[in-house]
Amino acid sequence: MRTPLIAANFKMNKTVTEAINYFNEFKKLTADVKDVEIVVATPNILLYPLVNIVKGTNINLSAENVHWADNGAFTGETSAVTLKNMGVNYTVLGHSERRQMFCETNETVNKRLHNALKNGVKVIFCIGETLSEREENKTIQKVTSQITEGLKDITIEMMKDIAIAYEPIWAIGTGVTASSQQAQEVHAEIRKILNSLFNEEVAQSTRVLYGGSVKPANVKELMAQDDIDGALVGGASLKPESFIQIVKFK
Ligand code: PEP
C-alpha cells in the first residue's frame, strides 16, 4: 500500500563535476527500478546543473533545506519558489545536523514545512532522539514533541506530501545502526502519534523512513519491518554502486 521511498542525503559533499559524473552513472543503474521512489538530496547549489540530467528518469532531486519565506532579505537562504521553478520537487527539512549545528527548532522547521508545501515542494521531515535521550527512555517523548510541533497546522490533505524520516542521532554517520526491532518499535509509535494527531488513514498511508548508517548489508532487514517504508541514506549514498544496492533492496 505504501510505495517504498529510498532517499540519499549528500550533505555538504561533491563538486559540480563530481555530482554530474555521479548522476550520469546513477541514472543508468536506476533505469530498471520499478515500484520504488528514488530521491537524491544534494547541496542546494548543485541542483541546477542536475535538473537536466535527471529529466525523463525515475530520479527525483531534493534540496537539503528551504526557507520559510518565498523571497526577501534572508541572505544565504534558499526559496522553495526557486526550487519549484527549477524543477526540484522535494526538500529534506529538520535534519538533526540543521537542528544541532544551525539552531533549527520545531518552530522553524514547521514554518519551512508550510512554505515548501505551499509551493508544491514535498518534504522529507526528519526527527530523532540523541543517545542520552534514548538512555533516559525519552525517545517517544522526543519524537512526539518533534512531530506535534513540527506538523503544527498541517492538514490531512497536506500529509500526502510529507514523508517522515526517523533518524536516531546516535546512529547518523556513526556506523551504529539501530537494530531493526529498535527502529520498528519507534516507527510503530510514530503511526500512533499520527493517528492521534490526524486519523488512522494518515497513520497508515504516511511513509516513515529510517535513517542512520543504512548500508547495502542492513537495508533488507530494515525494509522487512512492517512500519519501515524506506531509508534516508547519508554516507552509503555517496557512491552510485553502493546507493543502487540500497535502492534495489528487494
Ligand atoms: C543522514 O544523513 O541523514 C544519515 C542517516 O547519514 P548516514 O547514513 O551516514 O548515517
Side-chain angles (χ1 to χ4, degrees):
M1 168 185 158
R2 299 181 292 261
T3 305
L5 196 170
I6 304 288
N9 177 18
F10 279 9
K11 312 193 187 202
M12 197 178 73
N13 288 299
K14 298 200 186 293
T15 63
V16 176
T17 312
E18 287 165 351
I20 289 173
N21 290 342
Y22 179 105
F23 276 81
N24 278 328
E25 178 64 23
F26 187 57
K27 74 176 180 183
K28 289 185 218 149
L29 303 174
T30 63
D32 60 349
V33 174
K34 288 191 189 73
D35 306 325
V36 173
E37 189 173 2
I38 306 166
V39 174
V40 183
T42 79
N44 294 356
I45 195 171
L46 297 180
L47 291 167
Y48 189 58
L50 299 176
V51 169
N52 279 331
I53 300 179
V54 302
K55 211 167 262 171
T57 73
N58 51 5
I59 305 168
N60 298 281
L61 286 174
S62 171
E64 294 182 5
N65 202 15
V66 295
H67 193 59
W68 56 75
D70 284 353
N71 49 51
F74 301 103
T75 303
E77 289 287 333
T78 302
S79 163
V81 177
T82 310
L83 287 177
K84 190 69 190 175
N85 174 258
M86 240 157 68
V88 175
N89 297 320
Y90 265 100
T91 187
V92 172
L93 285 178
H95 192 280
S96 59
E97 288 152 17
R98 301 285 330 160
R99 292 177 189 262
Q100 292 194 311
M101 291 185 268
F102 302 99
C103 308
E104 292 274 357
T105 63
N106 292 337
E107 191 188 352
T108 59
V109 173
N110 175 256
K111 285 166 74 175
R112 291 174 198 272
L113 209 150
H114 276 277
N115 191 266
L117 296 181
K118 184 188 92 177
N119 287 298
V121 176
K122 297 178 199 171
V123 173
I124 297 176
F125 165 53
C126 303
I127 56 171
E129 82 286 4
T130 61
L131 184 56
S132 60
E133 287 163 340
R134 173 158 284 264
E135 286 170 348
E136 290 163 25
N137 281 324
K138 290 186 177 153
T139 299
I140 302 309
Q141 191 182 321
K142 176 73 178 288
V143 298
T144 302
S145 62
Q146 287 178 319
I147 294 174
T148 309
E149 293 167 33
L151 297 183
K152 186 167 174 276
D153 296 330
I154 294 295
T155 63
I156 289 173
E157 189 58 29
M158 289 157 117
M159 282 305 292
K160 294 193 178 101
D161 291 328
I162 299 174
I164 295 178
Y166 167 60
E167 301 204 300
I169 295 169
W170 46 273
I172 297 181
T174 57
V176 180
T177 319
S179 70
S180 49
Q181 289 85 344
Q182 282 174 319
Q184 165 58 28
E185 269 169 34
V186 181
H187 283 227
E189 289 294 331
I190 290 170
R191 290 201 201 284
K192 287 189 196 157
I193 300 164
L194 293 176
N195 186 9
S196 72
L197 282 181
F198 301 98
N199 59 30
E200 186 56 15
E201 205 201 319
V202 169
Q204 291 307 323
S205 58
T206 301
R207 289 179 292 181
V208 186
L209 321 183
Y210 168 78
S213 301
V214 176
K215 41 189 179 263
N218 60 21
V219 66
K220 208 177 166 80
E221 191 185 331
L222 287 161
M223 290 301 291
Q225 304 305 308
D226 285 350
D227 291 301
I228 300 184
D229 307 313
L232 181 55
V233 188
S237 72
L238 291 172
K239 291 200 169 110
E241 61 274 21
S242 159
F243 188 47
I244 193 64
Q245 291 179 57
I246 297 174
V247 168
K248 295 184 175 175
F249 65 91
K250 279 182 189 164

